Amino acid sequence: MNRLKTYLTLSLGLCLGLQESSAQKIKVKWDFSANYHPSQNRVLQLTLINTDNVPIQLDTYDLWFNSMYPIEEINQNNAEEINQKNYRFHNRNGNLYSVDFAKGTRINVKDSITLEYKSPYPITHTSLTPNGFYLESKSKPSKHIEIGHPEVIAAKVTPQEENNMLSALYARNSLTHNGKAQAILPTPAHLKMGNGAFSPGKILDVSIDEGFNNSDKKSFSEYLRTFPNLAQIQAPKGDQGKLKIRQNKELGKEAYHLKVSTNGIEISASHAAGVFYAVQSLRSLLNPEQLQGKTALSFPFLEVQDEPRFAYRGFMMDIARNFKDIHTIKKYIDVMASLKLNKFHLHFIDDEGWRLEIPSLPELTEIGSKRSGTFKDGNSIQPAYGSGSNPTENAFLTKEQFQELLTYAAERHVTIIPEIETPGHARAAIKAMETRYHRLMKAGKQKEAEEFLLYEATDSSKYSSAQYWDDNVMNPALPSVYRFIDVVLEDIKKMYQEVGLELKLVSLGGDEVPSGSWEGSPIIKQLMAKEGMKSVYEVWPYYVEKINAICASKGMNIAGWEEFGMVNQGKGMQVNPELNHLDMYLDVWNNVIGGGQEDLAYRLANAGYKTVFTSCANYYLDMVWDRNFNEPGLKWASITDLYHAYSMLPEAFFANMKYTQTGKDLKDEYIAGKVRLTEKGRSNLVGIKAALWAETVLTAERMDYMLFPRLFAMAERAWAPKRNWENDKEFNKSEFDKTYNAFVHKVGSNELQKLDFAFGGFKYRLPSVGINAEKGTLHANTEYPGFQIYYTEDGSIPTVNSRPYPKGGIALKDHMIVKLAAIDQHGRSGRVSTYTRN
């Protein structure tokens, strides 16, 4: 196997104290070691290179950075080697590391120093490499020199390895390059296409039943204004309009009937939501040119009777790990609404950030939203995920901004479900309240200081969380923890009430409390004695019932991750049948294929819990698209391309598992041994949800890339009806592939291109190019249709000015190197594919 190489090249003008006027330069290179092997020898190296004309005295600074994976120092057995080693790595909690250098360490002119370390896991993708480098002065720790985000140069593979991968991609792409796009996305429950089309022209008379109130009528007009070249005039009588909106109280709240004929358009619904979704179906019928106003509006004759498959159709956005502003969030509320998604799970609190202003506790955002290199003074939290040393100012939603989002979402029939992570993933809150405690204690206000304290100073528990924190868990034996939750919930509840909304469902997290938590806590021992608990594991259901009671007292239902419905009795977390009476909503994510928990969502639903299937195996959209090193994201849960995302069958998860990349090696008896949904369980499976965790999603553009086109697949599954073949016994792969073919043509040729201009535009992922050489001709295709391929033969990167790929392919020549890429109408390029012929 060829050695992989990846370089992070960081250039920086530094003044390191040798001469104040000297602009010294250091280059940092990250690389695999010469004999790196992904399973046998995971030695990596950072090389610091002096490119200036004077020496650099390294011992005056420490080098700081973030690493997604833990760093293990090389074990040196030779005493002489130990003495020669002039650096040391330190974990500073979480994913923050520093390197300090022995006295006298310097880099001579045009020289370098190499720092070696090990990773416990293979580095398979670019997002797993270190980032956020900065230098900190040893004499003045508040002095930092920001290096910023590194340049990443692509991993190297042999030409033959590259050719083989591209040939496999070509074969996969070929399965979906002939077909007809589905008419509406997501697919309606019942659709009958007719012959002909209705063209409204520039004026569309609208008549609305009196059963809808004035507010609804106003919103209907707003919906219709999203169509270009169209002026709406409300007709005085119901039968005169070319668009008739009728009220049919027999339909469900989100159901609608839609008819387009020579007489115009008729919509029937019982509530405004149904009308809204009918209008979204009309938008989906249009092509990008029509929605841009470049061509006249025209709607095909059809009849639709539609209602959603699931009541809960959700998307979770993590703005805690890396903040996203109100404008970005609004854009995603818009696109959610267009896809008929109705639950926006806003994850704004985690270890690495608190992103919502709480008026009663201003420290939460004053401290918890700010990451900086000066975190040791208690006025911020430490850098994470490449944030660097510079303070992240104003990285939170103000009360006014959050209320603006609440109203904005409600107008689009989207409910915002806030998540307050407890008791784990709570480090930002813990540190903010710790700073508050010390400030008030210094002022002699002990009672006030202890009111919201979230940790116990004498707790000697040892643990490491999923993100390697050792101080991120609230202590549920502290009354102040429940006081904190109560006050935060009350403040958020008031935010809803002040804009005329009601907070009915709130998530209190509950996931990934690390093993070892609370075991060394004196007050936990006191609580156990008081409550007659025999094991620290019994603290968990005690905590769940306590916080559920707080929610219930405020008229809220509690939601949380799957652990709320589970308990550890000494053999790991298992379904807890004792708490299903609490009417909780569980977001069940743990179904890694081959991980043993693939049926967990079904077991919890069967046990009586309202279950939202948040499949990490399909809908954790921060996962990588494929095995190419340059694809961003993580891969611990899955490798998820569009086909894999579409393959998720909510009520029959195992039916097509062996056809997916991650399931193909599983034995039939393994799959057969998993629990299936019972009828009771089916009634408790209330919905599905996609999630985007933001550890590797530093920008809004990267979020666009990770979500689209894969979010379309989840929206299709959430709304479209269950297919006849969607079961274990009668799964028909041929029929499944037909529906995927229609779906992928709708996505590639229609819906993605609408995102170029809709809702402010999106930098979605462009398709990669598959390549196959056959009979003297090089053939190419894309992962999804709708995009032109361009190519070069001179080694340059293809652009929109390069040669378009010809229909008949490219004639092969000896020793040729062809680079191909899909490029959109704006000149934006997808991943470059390189074919080499010796």
Side-chain angles (χ1 to χ4, degrees):
M1 178 178 180
N2 270 2
R3 175 186 169 204
L4 297 176
K5 289 185 177 179
T6 301
Y7 297 97
L8 307 185
T9 304
L10 313 169
S11 296
L12 174 68
L14 304 177
C15 179
L16 297 180
L18 297 176
Q19 298 178 11
E20 288 188 8
S21 60
S22 173
Q24 304 197 17
K25 295 181 180 179
I26 189 169
K27 189 160 99 172
V28 182
K29 180 177 74 174
W30 180 89
D31 201 352
F32 294 92
S33 66
N35 48 1
Y36 174 88
H37 190 279
S39 62
Q40 299 170 3
N41 184 37
R42 300 190 193 106
V43 177
L44 307 164
Q45 53 190 37
L46 285 169
T47 301
L48 313 183
I49 306 167
N50 180 9
T51 64
D52 211 344
N53 295 317
V54 294
I56 297 175
Q57 201 68 30
L58 275 181
D59 59 0
T60 61
Y61 281 87
D62 290 335
L63 179 69
W64 292 69
F65 61 94
N66 296 121
S67 176
M68 189 65 65
Y69 283 168
I71 283 177
E72 301 174 354
E73 291 206 59
I74 303 296
N75 291 323
Q76 301 281 4
N77 296 319
N78 185 290
E80 184 178 345
E81 290 179 351
I82 294 174
N83 291 334
Q84 289 178 350
K85 190 175 180 181
N86 55 2
Y87 61 89
R88 179 69 67 184
F89 286 88
H90 301 277
N91 175 245
R92 301 300 184 181
N93 211 350
N95 71 350
L96 182 64
Y97 288 83
S98 72
V99 181
D100 60 11
F101 302 94
K103 187 175 182 180
T105 304
R106 58 187 265 165
I107 311 179
N108 292 324
V109 176
K110 307 300 181 182
D111 202 354
S112 64
I113 180 173
T114 297
L115 322 176
E116 287 194 330
Y117 67 94
K118 279 187 175 180
S119 169
Y121 312 112
I123 306 299
T124 57
H125 290 81
T126 181
S127 295
L128 300 175
T129 57
N131 59 3
F133 289 88
Y134 65 93
L135 294 175
E136 180 177 283
S137 169
K138 286 186 175 180
S139 60
K140 296 181 179 179
S142 61
K143 178 183 177 183
H144 298 99
I145 300 175
E146 185 75 15
I147 295 174
H149 298 310
E151 177 187 356
V152 179
I153 297 176
K156 304 297 182 183
V157 297
T158 67
Q160 188 58 51
E161 287 171 335
E162 177 78 0
N163 290 352
N164 290 343
M165 288 188 289
L166 295 175
S167 179
L169 180 60
Y170 179 88
R172 189 176 180 87
N173 296 347
S174 297
L175 298 175
T176 58
H177 268 259
N178 293 304
K180 182 179 179 182
Q182 64 188 64
I184 296 171
L185 194 157
T187 301
H190 301 282
L191 169 63
K192 181 180 179 181
M193 299 298 298
N195 296 315
F198 168 68
S199 299
K202 293 189 176 181
I203 296 178
L204 180 64
D205 294 335
V206 181
S207 59
I208 304 173
D209 267 4
E210 292 301 317
F212 292 106
N213 61 42
N214 290 332
S215 176
D216 288 340
K217 292 176 181 179
K218 182 180 178 181
S219 67
F220 298 162
S221 296
E222 294 296 325
Y223 305 163
L224 296 170
R225 289 193 184 100
T226 64
F227 293 95
N229 299 330
L230 191 64
Q232 293 87 38
I233 300 175
Q234 186 166 320
K237 294 184 179 179
D239 292 334
Q240 293 182 354
K242 285 294 184 180
L243 171 59
K244 302 179 181 67
I245 299 176
R246 307 295 195 193
Q247 188 171 44
N248 181 348
K249 294 184 179 181
E250 293 183 0
L251 296 178
K253 185 176 180 180
E254 295 182 307
Y256 68 90
H257 290 175
L258 171 65
K259 183 176 181 180
V260 181
S261 66
T262 55
N263 296 322
I265 301 169
E266 184 172 334
I267 295 170
S268 298
S270 63
H271 291 76
V275 177
F276 180 79
Y277 293 135
V279 173
Q280 301 316 307
S281 290
L282 287 171
R283 284 179 59 86
S284 187
L285 286 165
L286 299 175
N287 61 42
E289 290 74 23
Q290 290 172 320
L291 273 180
Q292 283 181 285
K294 293 180 179 179
T295 57
L297 294 178
S298 179
F299 300 96
F301 292 166
L302 51 71
E303 293 185 27
V304 174
Q305 296 179 5
D306 202 9
E307 62 182 344
R309 176 177 182 177
F310 292 110
Y312 190 120
R313 307 178 301 281
F315 168 55
M316 189 221 74
M317 181 189 291
D318 170 14
I319 65 170
R321 268 57 178 273
N322 282 295
F323 181 65
K324 305 300 182 293
D325 63 25
I326 184 174
H327 303 293
T328 300
I329 297 171
K330 278 186 172 182
K331 184 173 78 167
Y332 271 93
I333 291 172
D334 279 327
V335 79
M336 282 181 65
S338 74
L339 294 173
K340 304 185 176 85
L341 301 178
N342 64 347
K343 306 295 183 186
F344 184 28
H345 176 166
L346 192 54
H347 183 92
F348 53 75
I349 295 159
D350 215 296
D351 297 317
E352 300 85 5
W354 183 288
R355 309 299 185 184
L356 176 64
E357 178 187 15
I358 302 297
S360 297
L361 294 170
E363 296 89 352
L364 287 170
T365 45
E366 290 172 357
I367 309 299
S369 74
K370 184 186 294 185
R371 301 200 292 236
S372 78
T374 59
F375 65 93
K376 284 168 278 189
D377 64 10
N379 292 318
S380 62
I381 57 177
Q382 68 186 56
Y385 304 121
S387 60
S389 63
N390 292 333
T392 54
E393 302 286 358
N394 302 315
F396 64 92
L397 298 172
T398 66
K399 173 186 173 181
E400 290 75 19
Q401 287 176 326
F402 184 62
Q403 289 180 310
E404 185 178 342
L405 287 175
L406 292 177
T407 302
Y408 193 83
E411 290 171 349
R412 290 154 180 79
H413 301 280
V414 174
T415 299
I416 294 181
I417 301 169
E419 180 181 0
I420 306 158
E421 271 281 20
T422 74
H425 284 283
R427 190 174 189 271
I430 291 169
K431 289 299 175 183
M433 293 300 95
E434 181 181 356
T435 297
R436 178 185 184 277
Y437 169 81
H438 289 306
R439 174 177 59 81
L440 291 170
M441 287 295 289
K442 189 175 180 179
K445 301 178 179 179
Q446 181 176 350
K447 183 179 179 181
E448 191 176 346
E450 294 176 347
E451 184 179 7
F452 299 107
L453 198 60
L454 302 178
Y455 73 101
E456 178 192 13
T458 57
D459 187 351
S460 61
S461 302
K462 302 295 183 184
Y463 60 82
S464 178
S465 76
Q467 280 75 35
Y468 313 113
W469 299 105
D470 61 13
D471 57 354
N472 76 332
V473 181
M474 297 176 179
N475 191 314
L478 287 169
S480 49
V481 165
Y482 305 103
R483 171 69 176 150
F484 173 84
I485 293 171
D486 184 272
V487 167
V488 170
L489 284 177
E490 191 62 30
D491 271 17
I492 297 175
K493 177 181 178 180
K494 289 177 182 176
M495 294 183 204
Y496 279 73
Q497 290 175 333
E498 288 171 3
V499 294
L501 298 172
E502 184 180 356
L503 178 55
K504 296 180 180 179
L505 186 64
V506 62
S507 174
L508 292 184
D511 61 317
E512 297 183 324
V513 175
S515 177
S517 299
W518 313 323
E519 291 181 359
S521 166
I523 61 171
I524 286 288
K525 290 181 172 62
Q526 293 173 19
L527 174 68
M528 290 172 60
K530 178 184 176 183
E531 298 293 330
M533 299 177 186
K534 297 179 181 180
S535 166
V536 72
Y537 298 133
E538 295 178 62
V539 174
W540 180 245
Y542 167 86
Y543 174 76
V544 175
E545 291 198 82
K546 290 274 286 186
I547 60 175
N548 178 74
I550 294 173
C551 292
S553 72
K554 299 179 184 299
M556 306 172 192
N557 278 100
I558 186 173
W561 299 99
E562 60 210 34
E563 288 93 331
F564 276 170
M566 303 178 76
V567 66
N568 189 339
Q569 295 176 335
K571 297 182 180 180
M573 295 293 279
Q574 299 294 327
V575 172
N576 182 3
E578 304 299 324
L579 297 182
N580 58 15
H581 65 282
L582 297 183
D583 205 24
M584 295 186 291
Y585 284 71
L586 300 184
D587 296 312
V588 185
W589 62 267
N590 188 1
N591 68 327
V592 176
I593 297 175
Q597 298 288 339
E598 298 91 340
D599 57 0
L600 180 58
Y602 296 166
R603 285 188 278 128
L604 284 162
N606 292 348
Y609 291 100
K610 288 187 175 68
T611 299
V612 181
F613 203 163
T614 313
S615 170
C616 72
N618 306 86
Y619 296 145
Y620 266 27
L621 300 184
D622 53 307
M623 295 295 113
V624 293
W625 182 279
D626 61 24
R627 297 183 186 278
N628 187 292
F629 188 89
N630 287 325
E631 281 293 328
L634 302 175
K635 66 179 288 285
W636 62 265
S638 68
I639 294 175
T640 302
D641 61 10
L642 186 58
Y643 185 88
H644 186 72
Y646 188 84
S647 73
M648 163 60 169
L649 306 180
E651 297 175 61
F653 183 63
F654 303 101
N656 63 343
M657 182 176 289
K658 66 181 180 181
Y659 299 112
T660 65
Q661 184 182 54
T662 48
K664 61 185 179 182
D665 295 328
L666 295 180
K667 295 181 179 179
D668 289 343
E669 54 264 33
Y670 178 87
I671 296 175
K674 297 301 175 182
V675 171
R676 269 57 174 181
L677 273 179
T678 62
E679 285 306 310
K680 176 183 177 181
R682 191 165 281 106
S683 68
N684 287 320
L685 186 63
V686 297
I688 63 174
K689 178 159 54 184
L692 184 79
W693 299 102
E695 292 99 322
T696 65
V697 184
L698 275 62
T699 64
E701 290 75 16
R702 174 56 56 81
M703 183 161 67
D704 293 349
Y705 183 98
M706 302 306 287
L707 286 174
F708 288 108
R710 295 183 294 186
L711 189 62
F712 290 120
M714 179 265 157
E716 174 74 5
R717 284 285 172 263
W719 182 281
K722 181 180 178 180
R723 309 283 182 163
N724 292 333
W725 40 260
E726 196 175 330
N727 59 69
D728 285 335
K729 296 179 180 179
E730 299 178 17
F731 178 72
N732 186 318
K733 188 175 186 300
S734 176
E735 291 301 313
F736 171 86
D737 286 344
K738 284 181 183 179
T739 64
Y740 178 72
N741 202 319
F743 165 80
V744 80
H745 276 266
K746 178 67 170 176
V747 167
S749 301
N750 194 286
E751 296 301 323
L752 277 177
Q753 294 174 39
K754 291 176 185 177
L755 294 181
D756 286 332
F757 56 88
F759 316 123
F762 293 79
K763 303 296 184 184
Y764 53 84
R765 184 186 185 277
L766 294 174
S768 295
V769 176
I771 303 172
N772 189 52
E774 185 179 9
K775 297 180 180 179
T777 303
L778 193 70
H779 300 281
N781 59 17
T782 55
E783 290 173 308
Y784 30 96
F787 298 91
Q788 175 67 53
I789 300 173
Y790 292 83
Y791 76 101
T792 64
E793 296 183 34
D794 59 2
S796 63
I797 301 299
T799 69
V800 72
N801 296 317
S802 302
R803 284 180 286 181
Y805 170 75
K807 186 176 181 180
I810 302 167
L812 285 170
K813 293 174 274 188
D814 290 340
H815 310 296
M816 74 186 305
I817 299 177
V818 184
K819 292 184 180 292
L820 304 96
I823 299 177
D824 71 7
Q825 58 183 335
H826 307 291
R828 198 163 59 89
S829 176
R831 194 173 78 200
V832 176
S833 296
T834 302
Y835 174 83
T836 303
R837 188 182 192 194
N838 296 324

